[in-house]
Amino acid sequence: MGQLHLNKVTKSFGEIDVINGVTLDVKDGEFVVFVGPSGCGKSTLLRIIAGLEDATEGGIVIDGVKVNDLAPVKRGIAMVFQSYALYPHMSVFENIAFPLRVEKMPEADLKKKVESVAAVLKLDQRLQQRPGSLSGGQRQRVAIGRAIVREPKIFLFDEPLSNLDAALRADMRIELTKLHHDLAATMIYVTHDQIEAMTMADRIVVLNGGYISQVGKPLELYHKPQNKFVASFIGNPKMNFLPATCIAAKPEGVTVVCEGQTVTIPVEPRDGLTGEKLTLGIRPEHITLGAGDVKFDIVPSVVERLGVNTIVYASASGDAPFSAAFAGAAAVTVDTPATISFNAADCHLFDDKGEALERRTDLHEIDLEALNAV
Amino acid sequence: MSKQTAMINRYKWYEVISIYAAIAVFLFFVLAPFVEGFLVSLKPLSRLFSSPYRFWPEHGSFDAYFTMWDSVPNFGLYVFNSIFISTVVTVVVLILVVPAAYAFARFEFSGRGPLLAAFLAVNMFSGAVLLIPLFRLMRSLGILNTYAAMIVPGAAFLIPTAIWLLRTYMMRIPKELEEAAYVDGATRLYTLRRIILPLAMPGITVVAITTFIGAYAQQFIYALTFNSKTEFMPLPIGLFAYFGRQEVIWNELMAASFVGIAPALIVIFFLQRYLVSGLTAGAVK
Ligand SMILES: Nc1ncnc2c1ncn2[C@@H]1O[C@H](COP(=O)(O)OP(=O)(O)OP(=O)(O)O)[C@@H](O)[C@H]1O
Ligand SMILES: [Mg+2]
């Protein structure tokens, strides 16, 4: 069992409020990922759950027991640090065995356990080496081994892969997902890498400035972001935002004028929208060359050809450049105006406070249930 | 042009010459007294003040190294006392300083800053300035004329420097290592024993060496003031015995000095093997 409940947790360092009231439920066996920009309090929240930091206010409840005043071991958590935090003067074996030595486990059991963990993590050939002579990926595995050997209820990971190179990171990502499946333990994982978040998470928690911006399944966050922050944070390149003016809000959708064109976007209407200044959001990957509901010209300033797609950046009126991602090798060149378009169904609408008007996208259509059923 | 040296380590010929010249001047000042002392210890007493003065000894021999034991029969005991006092001081200092340095390095407690500053301030007074108050203190404690009279003030005045040294070293040990141990259920003491102490070993060795040398060097003043018993006298007092009523037996005095330093040199030689650097490699990336 590894249920976690955070109840209005806050944390201040002196005058600075870092966590401003976080309430969250994590189910047993769930893989939850915390994402957010640097300094938003991800590590702090994780350390509060671990017991390395006291919550200023609020309760941390694990399996129905309030654990605010319990030491980390008593909470049944294990933590993997971003910097690995391996003991450099001990062999890999002793590093993994450390939590068991603390428990004073009999030598025979200890040996069996460490060896089985080492086998899972493919470290059996390295047990006598010191961490200093291991590669980054192997060190990471030792750190994970030290966490799983104790069989905790909840695993906490603080950016465990951020020190690895891209290829190794992809491998470790797959291994961690497998490990989660095999151990069926609750895992809470901090990252600022959206690919890690999207691929590994059952649910993603987007933090912004110490608040939870949105909690949801990866595709939910992608298709139905509740606010501009989540919309721009999830997805790469970032969502484009265009100014739009509402001229009508009817049951079938909200009609706006954007780039001089009138388009009706299928979102839930709300009273008093007519005449309001809104923001229209469109993801780069939903922009096509040629015909569509809204059509306008851009002058590409940078063209990136990645093979699988072509990413085009153009200077726009706003502060962020306008970007578009076309499938394959698209016929665009720098400084040559290109006509692009997008469809009303792909658009997001945000009010002046940055809150999204709920899209009429049916997540079942996106096959979410089917995905989860596999 | 040598291909092995990195660009940053390459010097022009005149730079090389000035570097070596500077080293030579420095070494001359440091080593000249030792060389002179050693040469004196080889000369027969009668030739010492022969004029013209000769740097190189005529009829040089190691006789003084044998006769010195006869002139001052207790010399062996003095050397032993010195080593004994220094060793006890070092052990006491280490026992007190290791946990203290750890606390100063890691714990936030009120008064930490002022305390550290006070330690520095204490260093500005050598024990000599405080001799009279110390004497009265020793007398009321009733430890005048015992080993303790030399050990207690010796240790006390070496602790502040030792704390500063070791605290700086311990602050370099990554905090995550302790946090990881704490998450795994280790107590503070267990962490100190299994993680901090092994990693701080080079720092502890430095502290041990400086404390030992410090204790060896500073005994003189305490021994002179707080102790009048011959059997507890350390080496520097023992050397005084070579100052006879009529004359100073210079060659034996020099020989005795070298013999007296030898044990300290041997201790340092063995301790420095533990000054392994780079022990924390691989802890954190
Ligand atoms: N011990 C501390 N004392 C004071 N402020 C702190 C302390 N620890 C963290 N903070 C502040 O809390 C804020 C959140 O820090 P935190 O480490 O949780 O960010 P993060 O989301 O993990 O960022 P990153 O992605 O860069 O790791 C930061 O502004 C930081 O300055
Ligand atoms: Mg962090």
Side-chain angles (χ1 to χ4, degrees):
Chain A
M1 287 288 283
Q3 279 171 339
L4 171 72
H5 174 65
L6 298 181
N7 185 21
K8 301 203 193 86
V9 171
T10 65
K11 175 75 186 173
S12 314
F13 289 108
E15 297 283 283
I16 314 156
D17 298 331
V18 176
I19 305 288
N20 301 304
V22 165
T23 299
L24 179 72
D25 264 305
V26 177
K27 292 197 279 286
D28 181 38
E30 205 174 9
F31 198 123
V32 170
V33 174
F34 292 172
V35 291
S38 194
C40 69
K42 307 180 293 286
S43 299
T44 306
L45 190 56
L46 200 72
R47 290 167 59 87
I48 291 173
I49 299 171
L52 286 171
E53 214 81 70
D54 285 327
T56 307
E57 268 170 53
I60 302 131
V61 180
I62 292 176
D63 287 343
V65 180
K66 187 167 175 192
V67 297
N68 284 43
D69 296 324
L70 291 186
V73 250
K74 299 269 170 59
R75 298 182 181 200
I77 58 101
M79 181 154 170
V80 177
F81 292 79
Q82 172 174 3
S83 57
Y84 314 149
L86 300 179
Y87 310 127
H89 57 299
M90 296 183 191
S91 64
V92 169
F93 183 95
E94 284 304 321
N95 263 284
I96 298 178
F98 188 85
L100 307 180
R101 294 241 186 261
V102 174
E103 285 174 16
K104 303 206 171 61
M105 178 180 274
E107 189 65 32
D109 300 355
L110 179 145
K111 197 155 186 288
K112 232 184 354 206
K113 269 202 134 164
V114 172
E115 275 165 5
S116 77
V117 165
V120 171
L121 296 169
K122 297 189 217 103
L123 287 168
D124 16 9
Q125 302 302 314
R126 311 268 169 211
L127 283 175
Q128 295 320 316
Q129 276 174 256
R130 294 276 174 93
S133 66
L134 297 179
S135 72
Q138 287 163 342
R139 284 181 204 177
Q140 188 56 69
R141 282 205 286 263
V142 177
I144 294 171
R146 196 172 59 189
I148 62 183
V149 76
R150 231 177 55 210
E151 297 171 9
K153 292 186 276 195
I154 301 179
F155 286 91
L156 307 173
F157 294 92
D158 192 356
E159 308 203 25
L161 307 185
S162 61
N163 285 338
L164 305 180
D165 63 60
L168 200 52
R169 205 183 297 180
D171 290 347
M172 287 300 292
R173 207 167 67 213
I174 295 168
E175 278 182 41
L176 272 176
T177 312
K178 252 192 253 159
L179 196 68
H180 174 240
H181 181 261
D182 294 346
L183 297 174
T186 310
M187 292 191 175
I188 299 176
Y189 188 104
V190 167
T191 182
H192 56 237
D193 182 318
Q194 334 183 356
I195 300 187
E196 278 172 29
M198 296 297 282
T199 53
M200 299 167 82
D202 293 323
R203 276 194 306 156
I204 298 178
V205 176
V206 183
L207 289 169
N208 182 22
Y211 292 96
I212 292 187
S213 233
Q214 188 173 357
V215 183
K217 296 182 177 172
L219 291 184
E220 203 175 318
L221 261 54
Y222 179 83
H223 290 290
K224 287 190 171 185
Q226 280 167 3
N227 48 53
K228 253 174 97 171
F229 177 79
V230 175
S232 68
F233 194 78
I234 303 286
N236 189 21
K238 279 186 172 131
M239 182 184 280
N240 299 300
F241 295 109
L242 301 169
T245 311
C246 177
I247 52 171
K250 302 206 195 74
E252 64 266 28
V254 173
T255 308
V256 294
V257 177
C258 177
E259 296 287 326
Q261 293 156 70
T262 306
V263 57
T264 302
I265 297 165
V267 294
E268 293 297 334
R270 195 166 69 194
D271 289 338
L273 271 183
T274 313
E276 288 285 303
K277 292 255 177 277
L278 302 179
T279 305
L280 182 148
I282 181 71
R283 292 198 183 276
E285 52 270 38
H286 293 142
I287 293 173
T288 50
L289 287 169
D293 296 341
V294 177
K295 197 162 120 182
F296 58 100
D297 284 352
I298 58 166
V299 183
S301 55
V302 175
V303 176
E304 294 176 342
R305 297 185 190 281
L306 301 176
V308 58
N309 54 20
T310 304
I311 298 170
V312 174
Y313 298 93
S315 47
S317 45
D319 35 355
F322 188 88
S323 57
F326 306 118
V332 277
T333 44
V334 172
D335 290 341
T336 312
T339 304
I340 58 162
S341 67
F342 53 83
N343 285 325
D346 292 326
C347 292
H348 301 246
L349 266 191
F350 305 94
D351 64 18
D352 54 350
K353 289 195 207 70
E355 296 297 321
L357 302 170
E358 195 188 339
R359 291 177 76 207
R360 292 258 175 76
T361 319
D362 191 354
L363 286 180
H364 295 278
E365 239 167 60
I366 310 162
D367 235 353
L368 200 63
E369 294 305 314
L371 273 176
N372 283 348
V374 176
Chain B
M1 209 168 84
S2 70
K3 289 195 181 76
Q4 271 81 26
T5 44
M7 207 60 199
I8 195 165
N9 289 330
R10 282 184 209 156
Y11 299 99
K12 299 259 164 45
W13 62 269
Y14 55 85
E15 289 173 326
V16 175
I17 288 179
S18 20
I19 290 169
Y20 279 101
I23 294 174
V25 169
F26 176 73
L27 282 184
F28 177 78
F29 272 101
V30 174
L31 292 181
F34 287 90
V35 174
E36 166 82 1
F38 182 66
L39 294 177
V40 166
S41 76
L42 299 181
K43 293 177 187 173
L45 192 57
S46 53
R47 300 255 173 185
L48 260 184
F49 300 102
S50 63
S51 57
Y53 175 80
R54 283 173 196 277
F55 188 65
W56 297 110
E58 288 170 288
H59 313 291
S61 76
F62 284 94
D63 284 349
Y65 287 85
F66 298 100
T67 54
M68 56 173 265
W69 302 97
D70 301 327
S71 319
V72 181
N74 271 340
F75 187 73
L77 179 66
Y78 300 147
V79 174
F80 168 81
N81 282 342
S82 258
I83 296 174
F84 176 74
I85 293 169
S86 297
T87 309
V88 175
V89 165
T90 307
V91 170
V92 168
V93 166
L94 284 184
I95 289 173
L96 295 176
V97 156
V98 168
Y102 180 57
F104 276 110
R106 280 295 193 264
F107 301 150
E108 298 272 347
F109 51 88
S110 51
R112 181 173 75 164
L115 264 178
L116 280 169
F119 284 155
L120 267 192
V122 167
N123 267 359
M124 289 193 282
F125 303 96
S126 74
V129 183
L130 302 170
L131 271 185
I132 293 169
L134 274 176
F135 184 87
R136 299 184 51 156
L137 186 68
M138 299 285 164
R139 196 176 51 190
S140 20
L141 290 176
I143 55 173
L144 282 178
N145 301 326
T146 62
Y147 277 126
M150 290 168 278
I151 289 169
V152 173
F157 282 95
L158 288 167
I159 282 175
T161 333
I163 286 182
W164 269 90
L165 261 180
L166 198 55
R167 179 184 100 100
T168 316
Y169 195 89
M170 281 181 166
M171 289 198 307
R172 280 179 31 202
I173 297 175
K175 219 173 177 169
E176 282 100 332
L177 293 185
E178 282 158 75
E179 292 183 340
Y182 177 57
V183 167
D184 286 339
T187 59
R188 278 279 182 194
L189 275 182
Y190 189 88
T191 311
L192 183 64
R193 190 160 59 82
R194 291 283 315 272
I195 314 285
I196 303 299
L197 281 190
L199 291 179
M201 224 38 196
I204 295 174
T205 312
V206 170
V207 168
I209 291 178
T210 49
T211 307
F212 189 85
I213 297 175
Y216 218 84
Q218 74 170 191
Q219 311 164 333
F220 176 68
I221 195 116
Y222 301 128
L224 207 59
T225 0
F226 305 145
N227 179 38
S228 50
K229 291 218 173 125
T230 330
E231 64 261 40
F232 299 144
M233 283 299 180
L235 173 71
I237 307 291
L239 290 177
F240 260 109
Y242 290 94
F243 290 74
R245 260 171 239 275
Q246 266 87 49
E247 59 175 352
V248 182
I249 320 170
W250 284 110
N251 54 352
E252 289 184 11
L253 177 64
M254 288 303 146
S257 306
F258 281 99
V259 171
I261 300 170
L265 281 182
I266 292 168
V267 170
I268 292 162
F269 179 78
F270 280 105
L271 278 182
Q272 66 142 12
R273 297 193 317 165
Y274 296 99
L275 290 172
V276 225
S277 60
L279 205 61
T280 46
V284 294
K285 189 165 172 190

